[in-house]
Amino acid sequence: MNSVIFIDKLKLQFYISAQSRLAQELPQHFKLDPAKQVIGMTSKEVVNEESLATEWQYLRVTHDYLQSNPDPKYKKFIESVTSIVEIFLAKHFLVRRPKEPLKFQDGWSTEWYGFEISEHLQTSEYDADLVFFINIENISGENFIAYASPQYGDVEYSNRPIFCIASFNMAYINITNPSTVKFESFVQTVLHEYIHGMGFQKDMVELFYDSATGFSYQKAAYTLEGVFHMSTPRLLAFAKQYFECEELDGLKMENQGGLGTENSHFERVLVGKELMTGADILGDVLVSDFTFQFLQDTGYYRLAEYNPDINLWGYKKGCGFVEEMCYGDEEYPEFCKNINSIGCSYDRGGVSICTDRDPLSDGCKYNYIESSFDCRDSTLQSQTYSYYQYFGYNSMCIDGYLSQQGVNPFGYTCYQYQCSYDGKLSIIVNNMTFSCVYAQEITTPTGYIGHLKCPENPEEFCLGDNECPNQCNYRGFCMRGLCTCLVGYSGLGCESTCLAYRRLSKCVSQCPTGTFALEEYKYCISCPGHCKVCTQYNSCEECNEGFRLHGGFCDYENVEYASIIAIFIIILI
């Protein structure tokens, strides 16, 4: 994710978004005037009535290569990942499609960020809604893993990006028998970069509009005390509910990391392991409604059926958490106190060390998972421990340990867990099952030494259990416990062959009543996001409780639409 690998003396490994030659700025086509302290527009129609009348359809993403003959082994690996990401995007996002296939236009630059656009790319036509030109590099001396940006958009029709560039540095990517955790991490990296290409960029905010009206927002963003805040209506409405902070005027964006990271990612301190933060540490990265609502607010996308990951970092912590983070009088469990102390990460994804070395942390201290104690990584199971440690997708970090012959010097252990359908947590140690109703001490069984303590609020842990079996087995991407699988596979972990349609995790001969077939991807999807009654996958008639209809789709009930159509990005000094 515009990244370098950083390993400190505590052996904490995480990826830091860094400056790259692509992320310095957007092309002139999308670029704003940086000299303006106040960027404003009077009432303006961004897209016309013809565009607004166009039917929403599932997003078709495709890619081509900048090199005429990319390295076959790298290309094969890239293809295995981009195929998953492109199905995931098609399944969850809707666009107003262009009238014609996409093709390189006369007058466009043939050199993008130092890359020459070949005659093949200039003359090709793409039956798609979004095209990525991919560059493959293998340079260990460069300080990035991947980067991406939109290059040209459909200015005549929807303003939406249609041609993008992405580059992947294979020097930092293990393509030889990666673990399912490592493979999933690269899928997340590609999805992160694709979403940047879709318009997740600070410099594009002035181009955002309400897809129902075609007009720009009254207040899309502002800068307060040097920090960029997003205040588009759907993102702000969700943030108010999420933090339980009705006074929130805007969501603080990342203010560190330099060009390519600053302002164009969510603030790590506020949303934890959200996919679109600027740093990806070990553990389960989440695609939450922060990302989905941001993309809806661009005006380019609406949401098909979706079930986002549940993020518990900062959840319902109030305005104090948003405004003061780790610096106020109130102490929050998201942050740790003592540098180098050992504990569980906040999401209990692994045994961790307290550190303030994340350069995007605003000086706050977090518990970072130590790489050899990532509970989700099943390849670590080969390590021999006398206290029955367990590694896998269904493993969590627990305070304490049980043993019959040895002592755990760390005091924290990875053990198997199980969440019941009604949200009850159980811990499994050496085939013994212990129920966790609250944060109680578990009675040590006869013949064992040590102790175990259930986590605080076990039901909340199960609420945030987003895991899929074996991270979808190299064949899909997991969100909220459901794999989006490659064509030909189904199951909770994409473990089964399926030559027919897929509905959720099941293989079905035909799409069930109330669902609609995406023929290209053999998926059956139901009503759009948060919709109760519909007759097609791309329009709603009645919304679920807590949501309201707007332009044929369901928005949060507390969304405040602009009464005066304008954008003001105000820098307050």
Side-chain angles (χ1 to χ4, degrees):
M1 300 181 186
N2 303 0
S3 314
V4 296
I5 295 179
F6 176 88
I7 306 177
D8 72 10
K9 63 181 180 181
L10 301 176
K11 296 183 180 179
L12 295 172
Q13 177 174 303
F14 49 99
Y15 300 114
I16 308 302
S17 292
Q19 298 181 22
S20 73
R21 61 175 173 270
L22 188 78
Q24 302 297 317
E25 59 183 37
L26 290 171
Q28 191 63 40
H29 174 74
F30 283 123
K31 191 178 175 184
L32 305 184
D33 182 356
K36 291 183 180 179
Q37 287 196 329
V38 178
I39 300 175
M41 294 196 303
T42 57
S43 181
K44 180 178 179 180
E45 184 182 57
V46 180
V47 295
N48 58 34
E49 292 184 4
E50 181 185 359
S51 177
L52 294 179
T54 303
E55 183 182 29
W56 291 92
Q57 300 182 67
Y58 66 88
L59 173 63
R60 302 167 302 169
V61 184
T62 191
H63 62 273
D64 211 331
Y65 292 89
L66 289 171
Q67 294 100 331
S68 57
N69 294 297
D71 188 306
K73 64 178 181 297
Y74 293 147
K75 181 180 178 182
K76 180 180 179 181
F77 185 78
I78 293 290
E79 290 291 327
S80 70
V81 175
T82 54
S83 297
I84 293 170
V85 170
E86 289 163 10
I87 293 175
F88 178 86
L89 293 175
K91 186 182 172 190
H92 295 100
F93 290 96
L94 305 171
V95 295
R96 289 171 168 137
R97 287 184 178 168
K99 297 179 180 179
E100 304 290 339
L102 300 182
K103 58 183 178 180
F104 199 90
Q105 298 295 309
D106 293 338
W108 284 5
S109 172
T110 59
E111 185 174 297
W112 296 2
Y113 303 99
F115 298 119
E116 188 69 27
I117 306 303
S118 67
E119 184 177 352
H120 161 72
L121 298 178
Q122 293 181 45
T123 56
S124 295
E125 288 192 354
Y126 302 93
D127 190 19
D129 307 305
L130 182 64
V131 179
F132 281 85
F133 290 161
I134 291 178
N135 175 59
I136 298 177
E137 305 185 52
N138 186 5
I139 310 173
S140 58
E142 291 281 358
N143 63 344
F144 67 89
I145 293 176
Y147 54 80
S149 180
Q151 180 71 23
Y152 286 101
D154 181 15
V155 293
E156 299 296 327
Y157 193 56
S158 67
N159 254 12
R160 180 176 56 80
I162 54 175
F163 278 91
C164 309
I165 192 168
S167 186
F168 302 105
N169 186 0
M170 309 308 290
Y172 298 121
I173 301 168
N174 175 22
I175 67 171
T176 305
N177 297 321
S179 67
T180 56
V181 166
K182 296 295 191 300
F183 183 83
E184 179 189 55
S185 179
F186 189 58
V187 175
Q188 291 162 351
T189 295
V190 174
L191 178 59
H192 176 108
E193 300 304 340
Y194 269 38
I195 289 174
H196 277 310
M198 290 168 65
F200 198 112
Q201 299 269 8
K202 182 254 187 180
D203 289 333
M204 290 190 67
V205 171
E206 188 178 8
L207 305 174
F208 292 176
Y209 59 90
D210 186 340
S211 60
T213 66
F215 283 86
S216 53
Y217 299 115
Q218 180 180 1
K219 186 180 180 182
Y222 61 91
T223 299
L224 177 64
E225 297 179 350
V227 178
F228 185 67
H229 292 68
M230 286 293 300
S231 54
T232 48
R234 296 169 187 83
L235 177 62
L236 182 57
F238 172 68
K240 286 180 177 180
Q241 286 193 15
Y242 179 87
F243 293 113
E244 290 193 344
C245 178
E246 283 302 314
E247 296 78 23
L248 192 65
D249 289 326
L251 182 65
K252 175 184 176 182
M253 302 296 281
E254 182 55 61
N255 64 328
Q256 296 177 300
L259 295 173
T261 299
E262 186 177 348
N263 300 328
S264 290
H265 294 87
F266 291 128
E267 170 56 56
R268 157 72 81 192
V269 184
L270 294 182
V271 298
K273 293 182 178 178
E274 223 288 337
L275 176 74
M276 295 310 294
T277 55
D280 179 15
I281 61 177
L282 290 175
D284 188 21
V285 174
L286 309 175
V287 189
S288 77
D289 234 357
F290 284 108
T291 290
F292 283 104
Q293 298 308 320
F294 184 108
L295 288 172
Q296 280 209 113
D297 276 337
T298 64
Y300 314 143
Y301 310 100
R302 275 303 209 170
L303 300 178
E305 180 184 21
Y306 81 115
N307 190 15
D309 283 325
I310 299 297
N311 190 353
L312 297 177
W313 183 282
Y315 183 57
K316 295 185 177 182
K317 297 294 169 59
C319 295
F321 182 88
V322 178
E323 295 166 358
E324 298 180 340
M325 301 184 294
C326 64
Y327 296 110
D329 294 332
E330 187 169 352
E331 295 182 354
Y332 299 103
E334 286 82 353
F335 309 113
C336 55
K337 298 179 182 178
N338 302 315
I339 295 292
N340 294 340
S341 62
I342 299 175
C344 291
S345 62
Y346 179 72
D347 63 356
R348 294 192 171 266
V351 181
S352 307
I353 300 175
C354 181
T355 181
D356 60 356
R357 289 183 176 271
D358 180 353
L360 305 183
S361 71
D362 282 313
C364 292
K365 297 185 284 290
Y366 317 137
N367 276 321
Y368 286 98
I369 297 173
E370 210 283 331
S371 58
S372 59
F373 287 92
D374 180 0
C375 294
R376 302 170 64 246
D377 191 346
S378 61
T379 63
L380 300 176
Q381 189 62 53
S382 59
Q383 300 177 125
T384 301
Y385 297 101
S386 60
Y387 31 94
Y388 309 110
Q389 195 150 219
Y390 175 88
F391 294 90
Y393 75 94
N394 54 347
S395 174
M396 66 183 295
C397 178
I398 292 291
D399 300 24
Y401 70 98
L402 290 180
S403 175
Q404 290 180 304
Q405 57 182 340
V407 175
N408 180 352
F410 304 111
Y412 298 87
T413 316
C414 292
Y415 283 131
Q416 186 177 359
Y417 73 87
Q418 187 174 57
C419 288
S420 64
Y421 288 109
D422 58 352
K424 304 301 182 184
L425 176 67
S426 298
I427 307 300
I428 303 169
V429 182
N430 196 26
N431 297 319
M432 298 180 293
T433 301
F434 305 95
S435 296
C436 286
V437 180
Y438 54 90
Q440 81 268 25
E441 291 278 347
I442 293 174
T443 302
T444 302
T446 302
Y448 288 80
I449 60 174
H451 74 282
L452 288 179
K453 183 179 179 181
C454 291
E456 298 288 337
N457 198 343
E459 288 191 6
E460 184 176 84
F461 172 84
C462 285
L463 173 67
D465 181 19
N466 301 295
E467 292 286 350
C468 296
N470 301 317
Q471 293 82 36
C472 303
N473 289 294
Y474 308 98
R475 297 168 179 163
F477 180 68
C478 179
M479 183 174 72
R480 194 67 184 112
L482 179 67
C483 290
T484 294
C485 304
L486 291 169
V487 174
Y489 295 97
S490 65
L492 292 173
C494 303
E495 73 280 2
S496 302
T497 299
C498 177
L499 301 181
Y501 294 97
R502 286 84 57 78
R503 173 59 187 157
L504 301 177
S505 63
K506 295 182 178 180
C507 185
V508 294
S509 59
Q510 61 184 14
C511 288
T513 301
T515 67
F516 312 90
L518 298 184
E519 289 290 347
E520 184 176 353
Y521 301 110
K522 296 298 181 183
Y523 260 114
C524 306
I525 62 173
S526 186
C527 296
H530 308 297
C531 180
K532 182 178 180 180
V533 178
C534 72
T535 56
Q536 50 191 348
Y537 79 95
N538 55 1
S539 182
C540 185
E541 297 179 359
E542 181 183 348
C543 297
N544 292 328
E545 185 177 353
F547 298 86
R548 60 171 170 168
L549 273 176
H550 184 63
F553 293 88
C554 299
D555 288 336
Y556 283 98
E557 203 167 45
N558 63 329
V559 171
E560 297 179 7
Y561 304 105
S563 57
I564 302 174
I565 309 301
I567 295 178
F568 298 101
I569 301 178
I570 305 172
I571 298 179
L572 303 178
I573 300 176

